[in-house]
Amino acid sequence: MKGPERVLSGMRPTGRLHLGNYLGALDNWVRLQADYECFYFVADWHALTTEVPEKGEIQQNVIEMTADWLGAGLDPERSTLFVQSLVPEHAELHLLFSMITPVSWLERVPTYKEMVEQLGLDSPSYGLLGYPLLQSADILMYRTRWVPVGVDQVPHVELTREVARRFNHLFGPVFVEPEAKLTAIPKVPGTDGRKMSKSYGNAIYLADPPEVTIPKVKTMVTDPARKRRRDPGNPDVCPVFDLHRIFTPEAPRAEVAQGCRTAAIGCLDCKGVLLERLVPPLDQIRERRTRFVEAPGRIREILHAGSARARERARETLAAAKVAVGIV
Ligand code: TRP
Ligand code: SF4
């Protein structure tokens, strides 16, 4: 009998996760655990491609992010949770792939061009150019069938497929071609109405306690045309209502929308209804997360055990790749 299909995904350890990260990726990762054999990892080498970190910053971020993962419900009993740099085979496979990957394939990757422009780099690093190829090694190492990612990462999965095909063509069949499993990402606005993002300073974090979340929601921007309490509003242009669409069930949500359109309720009432739906699930995540943060040794233990397990698989794949290439 064939076992469940394998899923793999990774996140760079850039700090605490916010509600946008949760709804855009993590929540989906948690759900996939029910039907797939899941590998989730901290892409710490990838975090070095765009900045020089402060001392200890990456390790701190690894702990914080893993606490968010565990708080949200990733289960180390069911999923393999690991750290990229604890499985150095990724680097070796990346090196082998670098020998068969034309530079032009990497120069064409849209995220590379965007990064170079965004950061105004006049001399981008070799590592930045190779970023998606390291990602290919991450994915192909585990004979991954599905890669749950957002649309921005699709070109990286496409490159991965091309690399797998080229390797198999040149050296014989070793790698499985993966596919992106697109995550339906709801619109998650931040407190200023723009997309929720750490760099905008508009985020609600999974680590935020209610005394932080509640004022963030209470001061969140609303329909800008609704200036006074007696002005009717339009939920369709209101970022608060976008959160209602995610958290508030149909019936009370329709009631809120109606109340807004007729000025029967004020924005603070509307936000109160939202908070009733938003705070409990966030509390559950945060409480679980806090228990782990208070025991960082336990987090490290989970990551080391997961990395050891991942490494066994990685060794097998790398050995097969080296035999195929003919260097062992
Ligand atoms: N590039 C991904 C991102 O920025 C992170 C990542 C690294 C990844 N390696 C991966 C995602 C392998 C999926 C599979 O989000
Ligand atoms: Fe937005 Fe709610 Fe205010 Fe309407 S009542 S403008 S939906 S916050």
Side-chain angles (χ1 to χ4, degrees), residues 8-12 41 43 46 131 135 138-139 147 149 153 156:
L8 172 137
S9 198
M11 280 187 207
R12 282 173 302 133
F41 75 100
H46 277 118
Y131 181 114
Q135 185 165 349
D138 300 335
I139 296 168
V147 188
V149 282
Q153 295 290 310
H156 295 180

Side-chain angles (χ1 to χ4, degrees), residues 3 36 77 82 97 102 121 124 138 173 180 249 310:
Y36 297 91
E77 302 286 316
F82 71 99
F97 287 161
L121 305 172
D138 300 335

